[in-house]
Amino acid sequence: GEKEKIFLVSQTSERRVLEQNQKRGKVSLSSFETPNGKFYHFRAPTSGCDLNNLSEAYPLTYKGWGLIGNGVINESFFKSIKDEENNNDLYYILKGIVNEGFQFLEKVEGCFALTIFSPSGQIYLIKNTFPLYCNGPIFSSVKFEGSELLEDGNLLNWTDDKLEMKLKLKESPFMI
């Protein structure tokens, strides 16, 4: 039979935070299926949010799309796009992508690193300022052995076990 594809997505800002959260039991591991394979998401939140709060759980979903990410969005920009009771700013980024396309990210006032899943099973990676490292099917906000830092503003599509450039976003003041 065909070998199952497994992806790992890790999210934390630094190893020190990860180690502290592990000691306090504040680390979560979730898994979910996409048409392209099974994803395991390892999370050690820096925001102090409750890991059992499903409105802050990953992947965030909207109209069949999914998102795992890390980011800090400008509060006035967040308020300008918020229209529901969800308090996760990255949920509104996903909603903007689904409703307006990936160019919506050019409007975002803030920093982010995102792994995005389309309903058809496409996997996209993009970042601006926040770190996002990749080595094969492992994506992380923390540098790990053999990983490479992705470039700001490049929308990459994971296909056939490699990353392909799909779109270069216009530079914004939030890209370094």
Side-chain angles (χ1 to χ4, degrees):
E2 189 176 322
K3 189 175 177 184
E4 178 184 32
K5 287 186 181 179
I6 295 177
F7 298 86
L8 177 67
V9 182
S10 170
Q11 177 191 345
T12 187
S13 62
E14 55 184 281
R15 292 189 198 291
R16 177 185 55 80
V17 172
L18 175 61
E19 289 166 4
Q20 288 173 352
N21 284 339
Q22 281 177 313
K23 288 177 186 169
R24 288 185 254 157
K26 293 279 188 183
V27 173
S28 71
L29 176 66
S30 58
S31 66
F32 54 96
E33 298 278 343
T34 73
N36 265 344
K38 188 166 192 167
F39 279 77
Y40 289 90
H41 178 236
F42 182 72
R43 182 174 188 224
T46 56
S47 63
C49 69
D50 180 359
L51 290 173
N52 297 315
N53 182 345
L54 291 179
S55 71
E56 296 188 12
Y58 288 95
L60 300 170
T61 59
Y62 179 74
K63 293 186 177 180
W65 287 72
L67 179 144
I68 294 174
N70 206 358
V72 176
I73 307 305
N74 176 295
E75 188 174 347
S76 62
F77 178 78
F78 176 58
K79 287 180 180 176
S80 75
I81 61 172
K82 184 175 186 253
D83 62 4
E84 297 173 23
E85 289 303 309
N86 190 318
N87 286 320
N88 190 318
D89 48 1
L90 294 181
Y91 169 79
Y92 295 99
I93 300 242
L94 174 61
K95 192 173 176 180
I97 290 168
V98 172
N99 292 335
E100 298 180 33
F102 285 106
Q103 288 80 3
F104 173 80
L105 295 171
E106 293 173 342
K107 297 186 214 176
V108 173
E109 295 176 10
C111 306
F112 55 80
L114 309 172
T115 303
I116 304 158
F117 315 93
S118 77
S120 66
Q122 295 297 311
I123 302 163
Y124 299 97
L125 303 171
I126 190 163
K127 72 176 220 60
N128 81 346
T129 308
F130 267 35
L132 185 56
Y133 296 90
C134 180
N135 182 5
I138 302 174
F139 318 127
S140 178
S141 58
V142 177
K143 184 170 180 55
F144 59 96
E145 189 175 328
S147 66
E148 292 185 25
L149 180 64
L150 301 180
E151 248 184 78
D152 282 353
N154 289 343
L155 178 67
L156 304 169
N157 183 212
W158 177 266
T159 55
D160 299 322
D161 296 328
K162 65 182 183 296
L163 289 171
E164 293 181 355
M165 177 75 142
K166 295 308 273 185
L167 175 71
K168 174 71 173 172
L169 296 181
K170 292 182 214 165
E171 292 212 13
S172 79
F174 298 96
M175 292 186 200
I176 297 175

